[in-house]
Amino acid sequence: MSFRWTLKIIVTLILIAAIPYYYSNKAFAVETIQPDTGVYHTETVSSFDECKALCQADTKCRGMEAHQPDTRFPVMSCRLNNGFGSKSPFPNKPPETLNLNIALADLNAYRISKGLKPVTLNNTLNITSRIHAQDLANLGIISHTGSDGSGHGERLVKQGYKYSISAENVATGQKSWSEAFKGWQDSPGHNVNLLRHDVTEFGVALVYEPKTTFQTYWVMLVAAPLYP
């Protein structure tokens, strides 16, 4: 056997021996560098601010991490996180359960403090509020207009509620009734609806869709029936 063929055999044996080592290390790497942390996109950036800007521009991003393995180089790995991993540092937290009685009591206490009469809870207003909140959640938007082009008055009529006056507040992103209620109080236009003197009934709903941008969708209605 010539030296040339001997060399070929040696090289082949070395490659065959290396295959199990390569694949065992590859499997190990997949298991250790891809834990369930919620990271859905990784990009090389030159600064922390650039990484932060990427997260702010992406509606799926709920948090970001920037890793700079070697401080001698101004390059870092930017990891965008959607919060859905079981070990995510930015976990998605569901909102507090909406308690209709507490919502009614809070609204009435606020109205009475301003010299207004209390309102009563109306189930048709609750249902109509929930229909629109679910519609907003399905679309992942905030709007007073439904996906069918309807306004809140049309939605009330469709549910069989005949009114003399009605008004609607919507909100997104708040994780509790108290937070949503406070937001409406602090917003002049929404606050007008909370303190209408000509309404007698109230309804409210919350829909939680964690995979959407805003996650929580709040709708409330105040109204007075056409025939008391």
Side-chain angles (χ1 to χ4, degrees):
M1 183 180 293
S2 68
F3 173 76
R4 176 183 171 186
W5 282 105
T6 302
L7 181 61
K8 273 191 171 183
I9 293 171
I10 292 172
V11 171
T12 303
L13 289 174
I14 290 172
L15 289 174
I16 292 172
I19 289 173
Y21 177 81
Y22 169 76
Y23 279 106
S24 64
N25 275 272
K26 183 178 181 181
F28 177 77
V30 168
E31 182 180 350
T32 57
I33 68 171
Q34 294 185 359
D36 186 19
T37 62
V39 173
Y40 65 91
H41 180 70
T42 300
E43 190 166 324
T44 300
V45 297
S46 58
S47 68
F48 179 85
D49 287 340
E50 185 179 346
C51 183
K52 184 178 179 180
L54 286 175
C55 183
Q56 291 175 336
D58 192 328
T59 57
K60 294 187 297 182
C61 185
R62 302 199 66 78
M64 37 71 67
E65 296 177 294
H67 296 266
Q68 188 173 4
D70 193 330
T71 56
R72 294 174 299 175
F73 303 98
V75 174
M76 56 183 65
S77 172
C78 177
R79 302 174 186 177
L80 303 186
N81 196 296
N82 60 19
F84 291 111
S86 62
K87 299 179 181 179
S88 172
F90 311 100
N92 287 285
K93 295 182 180 179
E96 295 178 8
T97 301
L98 173 61
N99 186 310
L100 295 176
N101 293 325
I102 291 177
L104 178 65
D106 287 346
L107 176 58
N108 279 336
Y110 183 49
R111 288 176 61 82
I112 291 170
S113 73
K114 302 296 182 180
L116 298 170
K117 293 181 179 180
V119 293
T120 58
L121 197 62
N122 181 281
N123 193 47
T124 301
L125 297 188
N126 290 333
I127 292 170
T128 307
S129 295
R130 183 166 186 84
I131 288 171
H132 188 49
Q134 185 62 65
D135 194 27
L136 296 180
N138 292 343
L139 298 173
I141 63 171
I142 180 171
S143 176
H144 287 288
T145 304
S147 59
D148 59 355
S150 65
H152 73 273
E154 296 169 273
R155 292 189 288 270
L156 280 171
V157 171
K158 189 174 182 179
Q159 293 304 311
Y161 188 95
K162 296 180 180 180
Y163 61 89
S164 59
I165 188 71
S166 65
E168 178 185 72
N169 283 353
V170 298
T172 57
Q174 297 82 3
K175 290 300 181 77
S176 68
W177 156 253
S178 60
E179 186 181 352
F181 185 47
K182 183 65 166 57
W184 286 329
Q185 288 175 296
D186 292 341
S187 170
H190 294 93
N191 192 53
V192 167
N193 291 337
L194 297 176
L195 299 177
R196 292 194 69 97
H197 71 279
D198 49 4
V199 298
T200 59
E201 296 179 330
F202 163 70
V204 64
L206 162 65
V207 170
Y208 174 52
E209 290 292 349
K211 292 188 178 181
T212 61
T213 300
F214 300 111
Q215 296 199 330
T216 59
Y217 301 83
W218 301 82
V219 177
M220 62 152 277
L221 287 163
V222 286
L226 183 60
Y227 306 107

